[in-house]
Amino acid sequence: MSIIVGFVPTPAGEAALAAGIAEAQLRQKDLYIVNSARQGAPVDKSVAPEDVLAQAAKQAADAGVTATVIQPPYEHDLADEFLDVAREVDASLIVIGLRHRTQVGKFILGSHAQQILMQADRPVLAVKAGAARS
């Protein structure tokens, strides 16, 4: 069993990473940091640069957590790909970051986080950027 965290280089992604590391420490589990890009997309702002992913893995290591970075490309649906990875690594917990979006933004862009929350077959911890953890 392990913990899986959806990571993007944003405040919400940083909050998810911090929460994922804390949960992995608490549960004494390995951590999988997932950052995915649409297959064939020339530019994808959610793709973290290598140095950012290396820093995320180092942050986990500094906390005594074994972390593996996974960057699976997805073709159709990010949420489905993410949930497939969660099953592959036998995740006992999924950690995702949330950000505030307008109603129009939700309608036009959809919500990967909402899909993950609704379709996951295991517990999901959703955190917001700036949320204090104790």
Side-chain angles (χ1 to χ4, degrees):
M1 302 290 273
S2 59
I3 308 290
I4 183 172
V5 60
F7 177 76
V8 291
T10 64
E14 292 292 336
L17 178 63
I21 291 170
E23 289 295 328
Q25 279 180 310
L26 179 68
R27 299 167 188 244
Q28 298 181 355
K29 303 286 184 191
D30 290 346
L31 181 68
Y32 287 87
I33 302 168
V34 179
N35 177 256
S36 188
R38 182 176 292 278
Q39 195 170 28
V43 176
D44 189 339
K45 66 182 179 181
S46 64
V47 176
E50 251 182 67
D51 62 323
V52 172
L53 292 172
Q55 180 58 34
K58 182 182 181 321
Q59 189 177 340
D62 289 348
V65 173
T66 300
T68 303
V69 174
I70 302 175
Q71 286 191 288
Y74 68 96
E75 188 172 346
H76 300 290
D77 189 88
L78 174 62
D80 286 341
E81 178 64 37
F82 185 80
L83 292 171
D84 286 346
V85 172
R87 284 185 284 277
E88 287 171 17
V89 301
D90 194 22
S92 58
L93 178 69
I94 295 170
V95 182
I96 57 173
L98 299 177
R99 64 182 173 89
H100 177 75
R101 294 177 31 187
T102 65
Q103 290 298 324
V104 173
K106 290 177 191 173
F107 178 73
I108 293 172
L109 300 174
S111 172
H112 298 300
Q114 182 177 349
Q115 280 184 271
I116 291 168
L117 285 166
M118 299 303 291
Q119 295 175 5
D121 60 356
R122 56 206 70 224
V124 178
L125 173 61
V127 297
K128 296 190 293 184
R133 289 193 50 97
S134 48

